[in-house]
Amino acid sequence: MALKMSKGELMEFLDAEFPQVTGEFAIEELGEMRIRTRLNVGERHLRPGGTVSGPSIFALADVSVYLAVLAMIGPQGLAVTTNCSIDFMRKPVAATDLIAECRLLKLGRVLAVGEVLIFSDGGEAPVARASLTYSIPPVRT
């Protein structure tokens, strides 16, 4: 299955449809059924003590699967998260960007399932692991 959107097209789509997150995420690598994304960590992502907050880690996992799905099916803004399970395994390095390694395990006509490992930039051990399911809107003819 070939990619239907490039890194540039995905970022343009994200900026247009979700301007509230412009500049927060970057795509580092994109391939068939996989994506590597970065959360550009800023002060707004930190909780007391200077570590990246759980909601910010969730957002990175969610955006990563969303972009991986769109890369494969094309620009469909109504693809939505239907389930998420996330394990927070260790404290992220304080005030350091996070990297998400995402792969799609299933891409069907109606559902997509992806898994994400999240690392502090430069870190060896994952700080979180997530599994997400997305609902893909029906193609209207």
Side-chain angles (χ1 to χ4, degrees):
M1 183 179 256
L3 292 172
K4 293 194 177 175
M5 294 181 78
S6 68
K7 288 196 287 187
E9 290 168 331
L10 286 167
M11 290 310 298
E12 286 176 18
F13 180 85
L14 192 64
D15 289 346
E17 296 297 317
F18 301 97
Q20 66 272 29
V21 299
T22 297
E24 288 197 22
F25 302 98
I27 299 171
E28 298 202 332
E29 294 177 26
L30 178 63
E32 188 176 308
M33 303 286 281
R34 64 179 181 77
I35 194 167
R36 178 182 162 109
T37 54
R38 172 182 295 267
L39 173 63
N40 298 310
V41 172
E43 187 67 32
R44 64 183 246 106
H45 302 108
L46 304 179
R47 63 182 192 90
T51 191
V52 179
S53 70
S56 296
I57 295 170
F58 168 80
L60 177 59
D62 193 38
V63 165
S64 297
V65 174
Y66 183 66
L67 293 175
V69 169
L70 294 186
M72 299 305 298
I73 68 171
Q76 296 191 36
L78 295 178
V80 295
T81 309
T82 59
N83 190 54
C84 176
S85 172
I86 189 165
D87 297 307
F88 299 99
M89 300 187 292
R90 56 188 49 84
K91 183 178 174 180
V93 175
T96 299
D97 287 357
L98 295 180
I99 306 297
E101 298 279 350
C102 170
R103 69 183 178 126
L104 297 180
L105 303 174
K106 176 189 188 281
L107 182 60
R109 190 176 44 80
V110 178
L111 292 177
V113 178
E115 70 175 6
V116 185
L117 286 176
I118 298 175
F119 301 84
S120 291
D121 191 17
E124 295 289 321
V127 299
R129 182 203 64 83
S131 174
L132 290 95
T133 303
Y134 261 78
S135 175
I136 299 170
V139 177
R140 297 182 187 229
T141 55

